Amino acid sequence: MDAARRRSRAGYIILETVIAIVIMSVVGLSLLAMLHSSMGAVVKAREQTSCGRALQTGFSRLKNIDFYALFASDSASANHGLWAGYGYKTALDGLQTTLTAARFDRFKVLVTFMRRDSSDSNADGLTSDLVEFRDADADRIDDYDPAVRYLDQNADGDTYDTYSSGGRTVAEQPDTHIKQVTLQVYRRGRLVCSQTELISLEQLSGDINPSSEAVLTLLVSTPSNASYLYSANTAPLAAAQALAISSGLPTEPARYRADAGSALTVSG
């Protein structure tokens, strides 16, 4: 009887030991999984932060490219998918260098031609919204507005050029004056982050044409004494600023006015 009891007790001890090992293993694996998940979240957060800064740098470079020379591109392609003599290749190379330093290996620029839907061509009841260039029948002409089209004016086989028409510069690509630009950043073939902004031909010109999406903003972060943001320091400039305006202008909004009744105010 004593031998049977000893064997039973030994069996219980072994069983308890196995259960304890199983519980400790489950707890250990759970802790490892939590640690791995936490580390992954930290790494991803750092990656997103770094990618966000890269996007800001990227758009600052893209906005310094001539509007008519801002095309869709892919850093994984030769010459970024553009021709060898592309005039702003240095800007794209610089963006690639910046991204490489941040351990990103590829970027893509996507461009969609946009225009103000002043004729309500999409029948949504709005004439202030933007619509993209659409070409369902692939005839290189906008489905809504035939005046918006691709045109190889100089017959060189591409539509990357500009030409003069009616005294102004016109693009061979859809001349909409507004481009919706998306910048995508990749790491090891994986899309890490992307950002989309509107870039217009008149972005910093102050032209308030509804099709231009123009903004004229002055940010003074570190002003210095006796400095000028703008100065009519010659007689022709002063005369240009003193021109009389005979057309009727609304009292509000102030952006439509260009006279003494709506002076440019800088505060701070």
Side-chain angles (χ1 to χ4, degrees), residues 20-155:
I21 291 173
V22 170
I23 293 175
M24 291 178 64
S25 299
V26 172
V27 172
L29 290 174
S30 299
L31 290 175
L32 288 175
M34 291 175 61
L35 180 61
H36 182 269
S37 177
S38 177
M39 292 180 62
V42 171
V43 171
K44 188 173 182 62
R46 289 179 177 176
E47 183 182 65
Q48 289 295 319
T49 300
S50 177
C51 195
R53 290 196 295 264
L55 286 174
Q56 293 179 3
T57 300
F59 267 104
S60 67
R61 290 179 179 271
L62 294 178
K63 289 179 179 178
N64 281 317
I65 294 177
D66 181 86
F67 178 82
Y68 288 124
L70 179 57
F71 305 117
S73 57
D74 186 344
S75 65
S77 302
N79 296 311
H80 302 279
L82 302 168
W83 66 98
Y86 176 62
Y88 290 87
K89 183 176 180 295
T90 303
L92 298 181
D93 289 341
L95 176 55
Q96 180 62 58
T97 300
T98 301
L99 293 176
T100 300
R103 300 182 180 180
F104 299 105
D105 48 32
R106 180 188 181 188
F107 73 87
K108 293 176 68 175
V109 178
L110 309 178
V111 175
T112 302
F113 300 98
M114 308 292 291
R115 62 181 178 82
R116 184 69 65 185
D117 190 21
S118 56
S119 62
D120 191 20
S121 57
N122 57 7
D124 63 352
L126 298 174
T127 58
S128 60
D129 56 331
L130 293 174
V131 292
E132 65 182 48
F133 176 84
R134 297 181 183 178
D135 185 15
D137 54 4
D139 62 352
R140 301 172 70 81
I141 301 174
D142 186 75
D143 295 337
Y144 292 130
D145 186 351
V148 180
R149 58 182 298 171
Y150 286 89
L151 177 64
D152 185 7
Q153 176 72 13
N154 58 2

